[in-house]
Amino acid sequence: LDAENSITGIHCGPTAIYRTILILILQPKLPHITVQQYLLYKLKPPTYLEPKKCSHKILQSIAPDCKFERHSITQLTLNFLITSYHMQIQREIILKQISERFSTLATIVTLQNSIGFNDINKSAESFLMGLLNLTYSMQLINMNLIQNNYPAIDLGDYSSRICIQVTSEHTTTKFKNTVAKFKEKNLNTHFDKLIFLIISYTQKPSISDQELTTEILNLADIYKSISTLNDLTIDHINNYLTQNLKFNNQSTTSILP
């Protein structure tokens, strides 16, 4: 399927997608809409063959060992099926867009913090709350809504008993002080796990506590988690980032709302 089609001269790939399409087509119990939905999810081809070229003969050349009824497949399915080699997978495009937004955010936070502009850290708390809820199906809330300047943590999910501190610092002293404050305020009555989320370009230190489960995440970890999600969720996350991150906008002083 990845070879040049001898009749149309059009490259038919990638293999996995076309194999799935053909399997769907060859299953008589599955309606054609199943094929179309799959294509709409996976592909966003920039060009299509002219309808007159979408013939039974072309389809037969793609899968010569299969028997097809001449009019068994809708025109729409054929138009999606046989595309140019320029066809792009939408999932990959979206993931690359997300990586660029993450990279820009981390760079801006790192540079601004280096000269004492730390206000973006506070703005990032609510933004990251929404992002983490979408990525990990959590129910985080901003703890400052419960108490102004809530001690030790910024976000909390009472149902999963997980809390998060959003920070651009990465020193061992910072983490030890946070854990100490967590214990001092008896936050273990509500939370069993404390996550440090680093939003700058810094190395993750190794920390542990015998009495409290801790974990350190950065934007790279979140990105890897996003890359394992289904297409609809990834698209939802990308829309969320588009709405909440402002790039190349000279009328604002921050990329965050």
Side-chain angles (χ1 to χ4, degrees):
L1 291 178
D2 283 330
E4 290 291 330
N5 186 294
S6 59
I7 297 179
T8 62
I10 293 177
H11 189 272
C12 297
T15 302
I17 290 178
Y18 277 89
R19 184 183 295 115
T20 303
I21 295 170
L22 289 173
I23 290 173
L24 290 171
I25 292 173
L26 292 171
Q27 291 291 332
K29 295 182 180 180
L30 294 176
H32 291 153
I33 191 64
T34 303
V35 180
Q36 295 167 14
Q37 286 177 334
Y38 175 82
L39 288 162
L40 287 170
Y41 271 123
K42 293 293 184 183
L43 311 177
K44 191 178 181 181
T47 57
Y48 304 100
L49 289 176
E50 293 296 326
K52 62 182 180 180
K53 294 183 180 180
C54 296
S55 65
H56 178 269
K57 188 175 182 181
I58 292 176
L59 184 60
Q60 194 67 57
S61 70
I62 297 175
D65 296 330
C66 300
K67 293 183 179 180
F68 296 94
E69 293 294 332
R70 182 173 296 274
H71 302 293
S72 64
I73 304 172
T74 64
Q75 186 67 56
L76 177 59
T77 302
L78 276 172
N79 285 343
F80 274 108
L81 177 62
I82 307 173
T83 62
S84 73
Y85 69 92
H86 296 295
M87 178 178 61
Q88 300 180 28
I89 301 177
Q90 186 70 358
R91 179 187 180 92
E92 179 180 340
I93 295 173
I94 293 176
L95 284 172
K96 287 180 178 179
Q97 291 174 349
I98 293 174
S99 71
E100 291 172 359
R101 292 187 172 99
F102 276 14
S103 180
T104 303
L105 174 62
T107 300
I108 291 174
V109 170
T110 302
L111 293 176
Q112 291 188 3
N113 285 182
S114 69
I115 57 173
F117 294 155
N118 299 314
D119 53 316
I120 192 172
N121 296 1
K122 184 62 64 176
S123 301
E125 292 174 6
S126 294
F127 161 72
L128 290 169
M129 176 188 71
L131 177 62
L132 294 170
N133 284 341
L134 290 172
T135 304
Y136 299 107
S137 299
M138 302 180 74
Q139 300 178 42
L140 292 166
I141 62 172
N142 193 321
M143 300 305 292
N144 287 321
L145 297 178
I146 298 178
Q147 176 186 325
N148 194 31
N149 294 322
Y150 199 94
I153 62 174
D154 302 307
L155 311 173
D157 182 344
Y158 285 102
S159 60
S160 65
R161 297 182 62 84
I162 295 175
C163 59
I164 298 175
Q165 183 184 84
V166 178
T167 181
S168 59
E169 297 183 42
H170 66 290
T171 62
T172 302
T173 301
K174 165 71 173 178
F175 296 118
K176 287 183 177 180
N177 290 341
T178 300
V179 171
K181 180 67 69 173
F182 181 96
K183 295 178 180 179
E184 176 188 337
K185 298 298 182 179
N186 295 318
L187 298 183
N188 59 315
T189 59
H190 301 295
F191 304 105
D192 300 323
K193 182 177 183 179
L194 172 59
I195 297 176
F196 294 94
L197 177 54
I198 303 176
I199 56 174
S200 60
Y201 277 137
T202 54
Q203 294 293 324
K204 296 192 299 183
S206 298
I207 62 168
S208 61
D209 187 88
Q210 295 180 350
E211 301 175 0
L212 176 65
T213 302
T214 59
E215 183 179 3
I216 299 180
L217 298 177
N218 57 23
L219 292 179
D221 296 315
I222 299 176
Y223 182 70
K224 290 177 183 178
S225 296
I226 291 174
S227 69
T228 66
L229 300 174
N230 62 64
D231 294 351
L232 286 178
T233 304
I234 291 176
D235 189 52
H236 192 184
I237 290 172
N238 190 48
N239 290 335
Y240 177 80
L241 295 175
T242 301
Q243 295 170 5
N244 289 277
L245 290 180
K246 306 169 187 174
F247 298 134
N248 301 322
N249 189 343
Q250 297 180 355
S251 64
T252 63
T253 58
S254 174
I255 63 170
L256 291 164

